[in-house]
Amino acid sequence: MIIERVTGHTYGAEIRERIIEPLHLRETYVPRGTAVPGPHPRGYAQPGEGAPLVDVTRVSPSVGGAAGSMISSGTDVNRFLAALLRGELLRPAQLREMMTVRPTGNADGRAYGLGLESRPLPGGGVYWGHTGDFLGYETMAGATVDGRQATVMVNLGPGSSDAQSDDLGAALRTALSSRGPWGREIRR
């Protein structure tokens, strides 16, 4: 892995030193073993249409290496995204590069950069974030440059319908919109 070759330290050690500790992320872990530490929601998969749900909670995301080996709470994900967009983690030129996006071709207006997506918000503006899924879980997180953050998660995957992902996206857009779910402007 590039991080380990450049720094001489493990991926987990670098994440802890550069992100987890400086941002005081108290519910974020890079697992050192195969067990998921601490209290957490159970994850389920549905191996086929109409099949019973299978509890896959014991499968550790560490099997995904750096692509999935972090565990975090919604609060910590929000804190991370806010710090990233405020420029607390990267130099300005690096953050600009991350936020230089190209359209993905999806009808929803999504654009993708270097590990960061932008998506339009109802009523104007965009939010920045990322989605992720692992056996038993699906997560969407986003933040706006003016300081709003939200993270939504479900504990079923695979086996969920496209409607589940659509509903997650709708919940996130509503939470980040400058207008509440009833169309009234939210003053912060």
Side-chain angles (χ1 to χ4, degrees):
M1 175 178 293
I2 293 172
I3 291 172
E4 293 174 357
R5 280 206 171 162
V6 170
T7 66
H9 301 115
T10 66
Y11 158 80
E14 289 298 316
I15 293 296
R16 279 186 290 281
E17 182 180 319
R18 295 171 183 250
I19 298 172
I20 294 172
E21 291 171 3
L23 296 181
H24 306 288
L25 303 179
R26 302 290 181 232
E27 299 169 316
T28 301
Y29 309 91
V30 178
R32 293 184 174 139
T34 57
V36 177
H40 53 277
R42 303 199 74 72
Y44 298 92
Q46 190 171 32
E49 190 173 327
L53 296 180
V54 176
D55 186 335
V56 293
T57 306
R58 294 182 62 89
V59 178
S60 173
S62 64
V63 300
S69 66
M70 286 183 64
I71 299 168
S72 192
S73 67
T75 300
D76 277 4
V77 171
N78 290 346
R79 185 175 292 138
F80 165 78
L81 282 173
L84 177 65
L85 294 180
R86 282 192 307 263
E88 295 176 22
L89 295 172
L90 298 172
R91 293 183 190 110
Q94 292 171 319
L95 183 56
R96 272 193 308 277
E97 194 68 29
M98 272 189 96
M99 295 174 83
T100 301
V101 294
R102 291 179 171 52
T104 62
N106 290 15
D108 64 3
R110 183 178 350 164
Y112 194 76
L114 296 173
L116 200 56
E117 292 179 320
S118 71
R119 294 183 186 221
L121 285 169
V126 299
Y127 74 88
W128 297 90
H130 206 282
T131 61
D133 57 60
F134 182 75
L135 191 60
Y137 305 92
E138 182 179 357
T139 304
M140 291 185 179
T144 62
V145 293
D146 67 357
R148 290 171 279 155
Q149 315 98 37
T151 298
V152 293
M153 185 277 296
V154 294
N155 61 336
L156 173 61
S160 60
S161 68
D162 289 343
Q164 176 176 287
S165 294
D166 293 345
D167 290 347
L168 280 171
L172 187 59
R173 285 188 303 277
T174 298
L176 294 172
S177 176
S178 62
R179 297 194 173 273
W182 299 278
R184 292 187 298 244
E185 185 170 347
I186 298 172
R187 303 217 174 154
R188 300 190 193 273

